[in-house]
Amino acid sequence: MDTVSLSGKELAAAINADTKARTAALAADGPAPQLALIVANDDPASSWYVNSLRKAAERLGIGCDTVDLGADASVDALRAELAARSADPATDAIMLQTPLPAGVTLDDVSSSITSTKDVDGVSPLSLGLLASNLDGFVPATSEAVVELLKHHEIPLAGRHIAVVGRSNIVGKPLAQLLLAENATVTVCHSRTTDLPSVTAATDIVVAAAGRIGLVTGKHIREGAIVIDVGTNEAPDGKIVGDVDADSVRDKAAALSPVPGGVGPVTTALLMRHVVTAAENARRA
Ligand code: NAD
């Protein structure tokens, strides 16, 4: 079967063109939108992502202030930084990069990000708004999956979709967004029994587990659509996804590449959220 590659590059470019114009309009009339990127890890895949965010912000004219609190930052230090940035009128948007230091969970600190600046939708308020179908910032990666599927004109209503991964920042919000699109959603996780038979019963499989090669040909049915959210560092230093592309390619109708699939769309949506937060702040 000829598997279509679900590239995110064209969609990301279209989103970025709009963001750049909105950024220029704001900067013509005041300061450029300003993102605070809070980091507290020494994870290589994370620093690859942080670098790509910094470059993306620069290309779009968005200010990006990276604050590295170190891989041993305490809950109190993280909360204090997030609260200070939430109160700082010069900061339009806050993003807290994961992973967090050992023993610190997102739930320990995310409530210190004010929801108006929570551009990656991680705070309990943002997640609650999403669960209630109310307006708020949605986690960019989850939104990117839905936008990528729509861009490639893949219908969602009535389709059975397996989401592999149930984290608060990817899997769970994605399940909510897909439900809002009238899909039938099965959420799988590390305790799912017999993952291949669960995912092979669905039309679309989204791999968001952070495990190299987890989803193989035996996890999908003939003609399935496969979206790879994984961003993992392989032993050779390359960034690879969760999908074993070689075995899946024999069966899938379409597969999103890593890199070049969900990733660029996630970054573009995050930057769009930064500009939206800045526009909202100017209007307030
Ligand atoms: P996480 O570690 O918080 O959660 C992983 C989830 O996968 C958990 O719910 C776990 O139950 C599930 N899981 C783990 N092993 C499994 C297995 N063997 N079978 C079934 N389920 C399993 O990770 P996360 O933050 O949600 O990120 C997931 C992946 O997405 C990572 O590779 C991350 O780097 C990537 N990511 C990509 C982007 C992007 O823009 N492309 C953005 C954020 C995260």
Side-chain angles (χ1 to χ4, degrees), residues 49 141 164-167 169-170 189-190 195 208-211 214 229-232 242 262-263 266:
Y49 186 51
T141 307
V164 185
R166 61 171 164 186
S167 73
I169 51 167
V170 186
H189 47 80
S190 53
L195 182 67
R211 300 281 180 275
L214 173 68
V229 179
T231 311
N232 315 295
D242 288 358
V262 175
T266 300

Side-chain angles (χ1 to χ4, degrees), residues 146 149-150 154-161 178 181-184 204:
V146 175
L149 286 162
K150 285 184 176 175
I154 294 164
L156 301 174
R159 309 294 290 281
H160 188 184
I161 304 180
L178 293 170
E181 296 292 335
N182 297 312
T184 301
I204 300 173

